[in-house]
Amino acid sequence: MQKKKNKGAFNNGSLKILNKKFLVTGGAGFLGSHMCDALVNQGASVICVDDLSNGKLANITHLKSNRQFKFYKKNVNDIKQLKPVFKRERPDYVMHYAAMVGVKRTANNPLAVFEDIEGIKNIAGCSKQYQVKKILFTSSSEVYGEPVKLPIAEDDTFNGRWPYSLVKILGEQYFQAYYETYGIPVTIVRFFNVYGPRQDFGDSGFVVSIFLRNGLAGKPLLIYGDGGQTRDFVYADDNIRLTLKSFCNDKVNGRPMNIGSGHSMRIIDLANAVKKKFPKVKILFQPARNKGEIKYRTPDVSFMKKMLKDEPQVSLAEGLDKTLASLQSKRQ
Ligand SMILES: NC(=O)c1ccc[n+]([C@@H]2O[C@H](COP(=O)([O-])OP(=O)(O)OC[C@H]3O[C@@H](n4cnc5c(N)ncnc54)[C@H](O)[C@@H]3O)[C@@H](O)[C@H]2O)c1
């Protein structure tokens, strides 16, 4: 007789999601809110913790009446705010998305970025005290800084020098040390450029949403530098599915994984792809933003493909259409 399929289980995962309790920090943000959706859809209970410094209640309002979902407006960098949530909710798993993000925000507040070290320590400490079974740490391609070779593999040199990169490097090491010392497994995912609905499209936002926002407003698409810098773009749904698969796969514990497409593109090509949707909009070149901007970024995704037997499915054209449709629906 065929085994009944459990809607909470991924085929290649050893960890089960159904009826488990997940605490998602940064859950009112872009990626965190999509992860909350995915977990609720897979039959988990979700405790979303966000201080709304960059996240929006609008990203989670559709979940608020769901009995599987609870929201706490708390700052994870403040142990007095975080610990009572752990004490009360006793989550099985923790996914740490909360962080100060965005080139402009992190460049304008380099010292404030270091406050996120407190959040990392608090999440690790509370997870130990309240016997969390596994932690997800969302790291970044920024740990590599300017890559020493392309494509960038997981064991390549950490070349990141900005406070944001340093906090991500430290976070990875911190959770690894907790895994080695106390046996709390950690999944470390290094995201490249993720885009999609709910991404911050203000000035602190990311290139895809800023280009689409400007296109919609009839404003020029600004390129800093010559546009030859490359980035690897992944649509949010693909990122969430791959992240969840890696979290569910115990063979990935403690082994950082690049989550990307492996096919990076030049920013000028991205601008031209967006311009196709807004033919009247101009592309304008501006002086390079700062000396430290990373020029090339292409991930080696062979570890991801081998372990997850999966890779991004949504093409850039399709992803841009979906993101644009979501931006347009917000403007109505
Ligand atoms: N989006 C990407 O392309 C990308 C790439 C690499 C890494 N990441 C990582 O993924 C995670 C999510 O990023 P995102 O793009 O969804 O950003 P986001 O800003 O939309 O989400 C972060 C959320 O964390 C919240 N937050 C920040 N500091 C907090 C604090 N001290 N306490 C509680 N909540 C706090 C914000 O209000 C926001 O809702 C971050 O850790 C980021 O570094 C994202």
Side-chain angles (χ1 to χ4, degrees):
M1 201 177 78
Q2 224 190 344
K3 262 194 177 173
K4 214 175 148 190
K5 268 202 179 151
N6 170 340
K7 73 167 180 163
F10 280 111
N11 289 340
N12 69 343
S14 29
L15 177 147
K16 305 286 177 264
I17 292 172
L18 189 71
N19 296 331
K20 295 286 186 270
K21 197 184 259 195
F22 284 71
L23 189 151
V24 180
T25 73
F30 164 46
L31 293 176
S33 66
H34 285 294
M35 182 53 86
C36 290
D37 284 344
L39 291 169
V40 166
N41 289 338
Q42 297 273 331
S45 318
V46 174
I47 309 302
C48 169
V49 180
D50 200 298
D51 66 355
L52 301 181
S53 53
N54 202 40
K56 293 172 197 70
L57 283 177
N59 290 341
I60 48 168
T61 33
H62 59 288
L63 289 171
K64 271 192 125 176
S65 57
N66 192 318
R67 286 170 59 192
Q68 285 162 250
F69 183 81
K70 236 188 216 183
F71 172 67
Y72 288 88
K73 183 176 181 294
K74 303 280 178 202
N75 177 357
V76 300
N77 296 345
D78 178 356
I79 190 68
K80 288 201 191 108
Q81 294 189 41
L82 184 67
K83 200 182 237 186
V85 181
F86 271 82
K87 191 171 176 192
R88 180 167 178 176
E89 298 293 347
R90 310 277 172 150
D92 296 297
Y93 302 108
V94 174
M95 295 188 154
H96 189 35
Y97 280 85
M100 185 180 266
V101 301
V103 177
K104 200 166 169 191
R105 289 178 81 221
T106 51
N108 289 348
N109 305 291
L111 292 177
V113 176
F114 285 127
E115 287 169 22
D116 287 346
I117 295 172
E118 290 310 309
I120 288 164
K121 284 159 66 180
N122 293 342
I123 291 292
C126 287
S127 296
K128 175 175 175 278
Q129 183 173 357
Y130 294 100
Q131 292 162 8
V132 163
K133 296 185 187 77
K134 195 172 192 175
I135 299 169
L136 174 87
F137 181 60
T138 56
S139 186
S140 163
S141 57
E142 293 287 338
V143 298
Y144 301 116
E146 193 64 61
V148 289
K149 69 163 186 49
L150 292 170
I152 319 164
E154 284 84 353
D155 51 5
D156 284 350
T157 313
F158 281 156
N159 227 354
R161 286 162 200 197
W162 296 100
Y164 176 78
S165 338
L166 298 175
V167 170
K168 291 296 184 193
I169 294 170
L170 183 127
E172 290 193 8
Q173 303 301 313
Y174 208 89
F175 287 114
Q176 291 273 23
Y178 260 67
Y179 181 27
E180 279 159 30
T181 312
Y182 302 115
I184 308 171
V186 62
T187 302
I188 296 167
V189 275
R190 294 183 185 148
F191 299 155
F192 283 66
N193 282 56
V194 194
Y195 71 97
R198 301 183 196 158
Q199 188 161 35
D200 187 0
F201 57 94
D203 286 339
S204 308
F206 290 79
V207 62
V208 172
S209 25
I210 292 176
F211 277 180
L212 290 176
R213 178 200 68 179
N214 283 13
L216 275 173
K219 291 185 181 166
L221 312 181
L222 303 182
I223 292 186
Y224 298 94
D226 63 5
Q229 60 272 51
T230 59
R231 295 292 182 266
D232 182 282
F233 296 100
V234 170
Y235 186 65
D237 289 359
D238 279 329
N239 168 279
I240 296 296
R241 185 185 70 258
L242 293 163
T243 301
L244 205 39
K245 273 190 166 184
S246 98
F247 189 73
C248 290
N249 189 335
D250 281 332
K251 291 187 186 140
V252 181
N253 291 356
R255 300 166 73 184
M257 180 184 277
N258 287 339
I259 303 282
S261 75
H263 311 289
S264 57
M265 75 187 296
R266 296 182 310 163
I267 295 298
I268 180 70
D269 297 328
L270 174 71
N272 281 322
V274 173
K275 188 173 159 60
K276 271 195 195 150
K277 305 192 182 301
F278 307 100
K280 287 188 186 150
V281 157
K282 288 198 173 81
I283 296 176
L284 292 184
F285 290 89
Q286 304 285 301
R289 246 193 303 223
N290 57 49
K291 278 191 276 173
E293 193 183 7
I294 310 299
K295 185 87 183 168
Y296 301 112
R297 208 172 261 159
T298 309
D300 180 334
V301 290
S302 42
F303 180 56
M304 177 193 87
K305 285 193 198 170
K306 185 177 161 207
M307 299 311 287
L308 310 185
K309 311 264 180 301
D310 195 2
E311 60 187 306
Q313 309 290 333
V314 178
S315 69
L316 184 78
E318 195 188 334
L320 286 179
D321 282 343
K322 288 180 173 185
T323 312
L324 189 56
S326 136
L327 278 175
Q328 280 168 324
S329 70
K330 274 189 199 158
R331 284 157 56 100
Q332 278 159 14

